[in-house]
Amino acid sequence: MILITGGAGFIGGNFVLDWLADPTAESVVNLDKLTYAGNLATLEALEGDPRHTFVRGDIGDQQLVTDSLKTHQPRAIVHFAAESHVDRSIHGPAEFVHTNIVGTFNLLECARTYWNALDESKKAGFRFHHVSTDEVYGSLSASDPAFTETHPYEPNSPYSASKAASDHLVRAWFHTYGLPVITSNCSNNYGPYHFPEKLIPLVILNALGNKPLPIYGDGQQVRDWLYVGDHCAAIREVLAKGKLGETYNIGGWNEKTNIDVVKTICTILDELRPRADGKSYAEQITFVKDRPGHDRRYAIDASKLKRELGWRPAETFDTGIRKTVRWYLDNPAWVEGIVSGSYRDWLQKQYS
Ligand code: NAD
Ligand code: DAU
């Protein structure tokens, strides 16, 4: 049995589905608050599967987390739950402090109490895997080398500052209390079930809805894109073979400017679902006001993971983005479940 937090979100949901796709895999307890970003439709394929237990709740709820650990006796916790959207953290940072910092603190404390009471062999096998981000390292210039695990922490947004704080707590719980933790810092993910507040799904859906494709600033910011299935595979490797107390950078070796990403999506849509008027979706590209504190470039050096654990991503950006666009075209029911709800209020607040 493993306990996942945030398993109804984008990456957590993909992780649970990938994990349970293996018929021999251990069961999963999935603890998720179901915020706007949590979506049980992502987990529909697991309905009736006794290996998946869903618990709705907040990682900051001490009683609930303690009871869940006591009842299910997991041999590992994989901690995805977070407020994850930079733009939302600019509008309202309080939830980011609540979940990403205080929530992670509570989870660590509950895990420590649980782990201390385990017998010696279970204690030795226990893992607390903390899922974090490359944004904690701050911003790179065009000529800087990619982030390694020893790059200083220089977070620039309320989101990345809250994730940085959580990484420091996790590190301290290892050094002070011996809790067997591992942290992974990952670059931008994309793929199925991605909530369409984020660039790639937003652009796919806006293009199909005949809406503007908003590019912040000059569109020359660089992100290092990783297909979500590759991220899930990397986490499984780190969970199985990673060294305690270590951090591992996970990246796609796929640096792209935002404008190039958006143009690539337009080209794929032009081929798969041409516009009725025969023009390119690129006509919908619109440059808008920049994000405050917008980091210019992220790039991950994932060579430690390759060297020590033999992992590298299976998808290139070209193969992954094509799969992703197709997935959104093939899954209108999942999309409809999101765009009909409070998502509309967010679009109004951010882009009007
Ligand atoms: P997401 O926003 O899609 O999902 C977050 C999930 O956490 C949701 O299901 C939500 O309901 C749940 N949640 C939020 N607050 C909670 C709380 N207090 N208690 C319990 N559950 C709560 O996020 P994501 O994109 O899947 O990111 C998952 C993790 O990966 C996050 O920790 C994020 O910082 C990290 N990360 C994301 C990316 C990316 O590109 N998306 C890249 C690197 C790291
Ligand atoms: O780097 C990892 C991080 O990637 C994760 O930790 C975060 O949880 C995740 O949300 C993501 O953060 P970004 O801010 O990089 O992702 P987002 O999709 O919001 O934006 C990607 C880039 O596109 C960024 O430079 C901002 C830009 N952008 C975004 C939106 C939503 C636009 O130009 N227009 C937009 O409308």
Side-chain angles (χ1 to χ4, degrees), residues 9 132 197 258 294 326 333:
S132 192
E197 63 190 352
N258 292 340
H294 198 173
R326 269 195 194 283

CSV table of all heavy atoms in Angstrom, one decimal, residues 9 132 197 258 294 326 333:
chain,number,residue,atom,x,y,z
A,9,GLY,N,-5.3,15.4,-9.1
A,9,GLY,CA,-4.8,16.5,-9.9
A,9,GLY,C,-4.1,16.0,-11.2
A,9,GLY,O,-4.2,14.8,-11.5
A,132,SER,N,8.6,18.2,-6.0
A,132,SER,CA,8.8,19.6,-6.1
A,132,SER,C,9.1,20.1,-7.5
A,132,SER,O,9.0,19.3,-8.5
A,132,SER,CB,9.8,20.1,-5.1
A,132,SER,OG,9.7,21.6,-5.0
A,197,GLU,N,-5.8,25.9,-17.1
A,197,GLU,CA,-5.3,27.2,-16.7
A,197,GLU,C,-3.9,27.3,-17.2
A,197,GLU,O,-3.3,28.4,-17.2
A,197,GLU,CB,-5.4,27.4,-15.2
A,197,GLU,CG,-4.5,26.4,-14.5
A,197,GLU,CD,-4.8,26.3,-13.0
A,197,GLU,OE1,-5.5,27.2,-12.4
A,197,GLU,OE2,-4.2,25.4,-12.3
A,258,ASN,N,8.1,30.0,-25.3
A,258,ASN,CA,6.6,29.9,-25.2
A,258,ASN,C,6.0,30.1,-26.6
A,258,ASN,O,5.1,29.4,-27.0
A,258,ASN,CB,6.0,31.0,-24.3
A,258,ASN,CG,6.4,30.6,-22.8
A,258,ASN,OD1,6.7,29.5,-22.5
A,258,ASN,ND2,6.3,31.6,-22.0
A,294,HIS,N,7.9,37.5,-13.9
A,294,HIS,CA,8.0,36.3,-14.8
A,294,HIS,C,9.4,35.8,-15.0
A,294,HIS,O,10.3,36.5,-15.5
A,294,HIS,CB,7.4,36.8,-16.2
A,294,HIS,CG,7.0,35.7,-17.1
A,294,HIS,ND1,6.4,35.9,-18.3
A,294,HIS,CD2,7.1,34.3,-16.9
A,294,HIS,CE1,6.1,34.7,-18.8
A,294,HIS,NE2,6.6,33.8,-18.1
A,326,ARG,N,-3.9,15.3,-29.5
A,326,ARG,CA,-4.8,14.3,-29.8
A,326,ARG,C,-5.7,13.9,-28.6
A,326,ARG,O,-6.9,13.7,-28.7
A,326,ARG,CB,-4.1,13.0,-30.3
A,326,ARG,CG,-3.9,12.9,-31.7
A,326,ARG,CD,-3.5,11.5,-32.2
A,326,ARG,NE,-3.0,11.5,-33.5
A,326,ARG,CZ,-3.7,11.7,-34.6
A,326,ARG,NH1,-5.0,11.7,-34.5
A,326,ARG,NH2,-3.1,11.7,-35.8
A,333,ALA,N,-15.5,15.1,-23.3
A,333,ALA,CA,-16.4,15.0,-22.0
A,333,ALA,C,-15.6,15.4,-20.8
A,333,ALA,O,-16.1,16.2,-20.0
A,333,ALA,CB,-16.9,13.5,-21.8
